[in-house]
Amino acid sequence: MGSLVLAEEETSSPPQIVSVPKMSLLKISEKDDAPIVSSYNDRIRPLLDTVDRLRHLKIMQEGIQLPTIVVVGDQSSGKSSVLESLAGISLPRGQGICTRVPLIMRLQNHSNPDPELFLEYDGKTVPTDEKNIAYAINLATEEMAGKGKGISNSPLTLVVKKNGVPDLTMVDLPGITRVPVHGQPEDIYEQISEIITEFITPEESIILNVLSAGVDFSTCESIRMSQRVDKTGQRTLAVVTKADKSPEGLLEKVTADDVNIGLGYVCVRNRIGDETYEEARAEEARLFETHPQLSKINKSIVGVPVLAERLVKIQATIIVKCLPDIVRKINDKLSANLDELNKLPKHLTSVAEAMTTFMNILGYAKESLRKILLQGEFDEYLDAKEMHGTARLAEMLNNYFDEFQLNKPSANHGAITNFLVDEIKVLEEAKSIGLPNFLPKSAFHTLLQGKVSLICNKPVDFVEKAWSYVENVVITVLLKHSNSYPQLLSGTRRAAHNLISKKKEQSVDWVNDLVQMEKLTDYTCNPKYMVSYNKLMSHYSEFVKAIESYDSISIGGFGVIDVDDLHGKPKGVVQEAFDLKMRITAYWKIVLRRMMDNMALHLQYNIQKLVNKEMQTEIINELIGSQGNGLERMLEEPPSISGKRNKLKKSIKLLKESKDVVANIMDRVVDNFN
Ligand code: GDP
Ligand code: MG
């Protein structure tokens, strides 16, 4: 461990520092400059440089926050004056809004007695000097935020290399104004508070809250804002200015700490009027030494030199604390971005390449569809139930069969009346010259046609529904696979739609044929027909008895039948009608199952044809056939993709540079600060 402890908790405890950086600025004599470049500063410098370089690279744009000391305060609380005191330069000062953009102040001690100052903004570096600094800042501010009194959130960096300044980087933010002054936008308060919040919210920010000694701290807008993002105050340090103007009760104010300042208070007196910095420091020292009230305040919390020392230490602590995280975030972001870049579609440069890619897309889509619609493998769409094609189609088919079955006469509750009425009517009309014990074939047909007509729309509805479903699945899969080439999307979608429409039409024709066939011929070789007919007929004698005794009767499949109406009807008529009904009943079961079976086979066969062959042919025709120029279009990369690629490349470059910046420093952090 070095001579200096930089543990986290140290920032809030009294300094246990062994080698305190001496700030020549803070001394009247310039004689002892040498010790400033203390070992402490030497060790802090590379860390701070690293952070500053990262800031320069604009790594914040990648969402990686840097440890930053952010200066906030109500307007005219003395923020600019405090920064002046720390830097020994003149900043635009005074009434009204002066700081209109975030000003990143980078103080750097250097051995050359001649100070070196420059501004950096909008990618420019503009050298300046102490005399012109206020003017130069105003000029730059005007360039960035316009001439009026508006504000902007893009920062301006001021680098001050001066002998004796502490190595510190701080961000000065626009002061908080409640009421817009003439020329300021109406929502100035919201604008400023948005900028301040943006800077002080990250956990990596230290909030330097500048408070004027004359005000009630608890009413300060800047205190309210910092309390909102730092409830316990653990990363807030208060600087109390204008101690000279309002010395009364200051000691009580800073000891009572009504506003939860976790890192403590430092009371200062800034430069007044035309004083030089040296004079100002001497006055400050004298004030806290001799003033009857101010002299009672503990020397460890008064004066600009103490402030400088505290800030340097706090800064070192947060940097040491944050750097490992920053390194990790840079690495994570870098690999995520590289991944994403690799996943972007290849930029195609020749028709041959486009052709290969296109055929691959078709191949992948075909494979996916085969799995979903034919094999029942859903690994690509585990959570998307609607894409589980085989299961959904089977479900549809089952529902369709249930609907068919609902047409059974036994569906209504209670005893069935009017039993055999239709059959008797049909038989009446089928009378012809012939032997009485031949059941007229035309009667059976009439009944069969009536029954088929009742259900003939259902199969048509079903195939339409089934194909609509298949269309959705096919389009979803195709779009997924051709997603990287937006040029292909509309053509692919069109092809799929056209093809399915054709398939739908064919199926409807086929189903209509099926229905017509059932109407035309009554035939089955299924032995079940005879079995169930005989079983039904075995109830006949029971049935006749029931008619005679005015009883109701229950026959399997029909339910309870009220036969009173049949009493007194000629026996032959009842017998013929009963026979007819049982034939049609037994046969109808066969018809329904036959339709079901056919429909299932038809659908499966046609989906297979679609997936294995037709889809591909249709898409090829649409996209690269006679009028299509899909392959050529694939060569033109859409702006969305090229934009994304460029953005990623830029971000990767930035992250790589950042990685280089932090590469060496980590060893030093470990060596020097542990
Ligand atoms: P800012 O708006 O927060 O940046 O405040 P400024 O730094 O511009 O200061 C506002 C006014 O308060 C200026 O006129 C300063 O000279 C004055 N001022 C700042 N600090 C002190 C101080 O410690 N003592 C005295 N007497 N005046 C100060
Ligand atoms: Mg200011």
Side-chain angles (χ1 to χ4, degrees), residues 203-224:
E203 285 295 317
E204 293 82 355
S205 293
I206 293 293
I207 306 167
L208 184 63
N209 216 320
V210 179
L211 308 163
S212 165
V215 303
D216 177 359
F217 296 165
S218 62
T219 64
C220 278
E221 203 64 48
S222 66
I223 286 286
R224 283 192 212 166

Side-chain angles (χ1 to χ4, degrees), residues 284-300:
E284 180 184 58
R286 206 180 50 76
L287 181 72
F288 286 111
E289 204 64 60
T290 58
H291 191 279
Q293 278 141 338
L294 296 178
S295 61
K296 291 196 189 118
I297 304 177
N298 193 309
K299 292 291 167 290
S300 69

Side-chain angles (χ1 to χ4, degrees), residues 72-85 91-99 172-176 210 212 240-246 268-273 281 284 287:
V72 298
D74 292 8
Q75 208 166 37
S76 295
S77 58
K79 285 189 317 302
S80 302
S81 303
V82 168
L83 292 171
E84 269 188 351
S85 300
L91 287 174
R93 214 175 37 156
Q95 298 303 308
I97 193 164
C98 289
T99 314
D172 183 21
L173 295 178
I176 308 158
V210 179
S212 165
V240 184
T241 62
K242 308 186 193 178
D244 56 317
K245 272 170 111 181
S246 320
V268 299
R269 173 215 182 268
N270 292 309
R271 189 170 70 100
I272 299 172
R281 288 296 70 78
E284 180 184 58
L287 181 72

Side-chain angles (χ1 to χ4, degrees), residues 373 378 384-404 462 465-466 469 596 600 603-604:
L373 290 172
F378 310 128
K385 279 227 148 110
E386 72 282 0
M387 295 298 284
H388 298 184
T390 43
R392 294 296 82 76
L393 283 168
E395 206 169 72
M396 267 184 225
L397 206 61
N398 287 339
N399 291 342
Y400 156 71
F401 189 55
D402 287 347
E403 259 178 65
F404 256 5
F462 172 73
K465 211 170 117 195
Y469 170 74
M596 274 293 294
L603 208 59
Q604 190 77 356

Side-chain angles (χ1 to χ4, degrees), residues 192-204:
I192 294 176
S193 97
E194 204 174 294
I195 294 180
I196 294 179
T197 308
E198 177 192 326
F199 276 85
I200 63 177
T201 302
E203 285 295 317
E204 293 82 355

Side-chain angles (χ1 to χ4, degrees), residues 6 15 74 124 126 154 183 203 284 305 397 424 474 502 507-508 522 539 575 632:
L6 272 171
D74 292 8
K124 283 185 286 198
V126 181
S154 57
E203 285 295 317
E284 180 184 58
L397 206 61
I424 292 171
V474 168
K502 256 187 268 170
S507 284
V508 169
D522 49 317
H539 293 286
Q575 188 191 356
E632 287 75 13

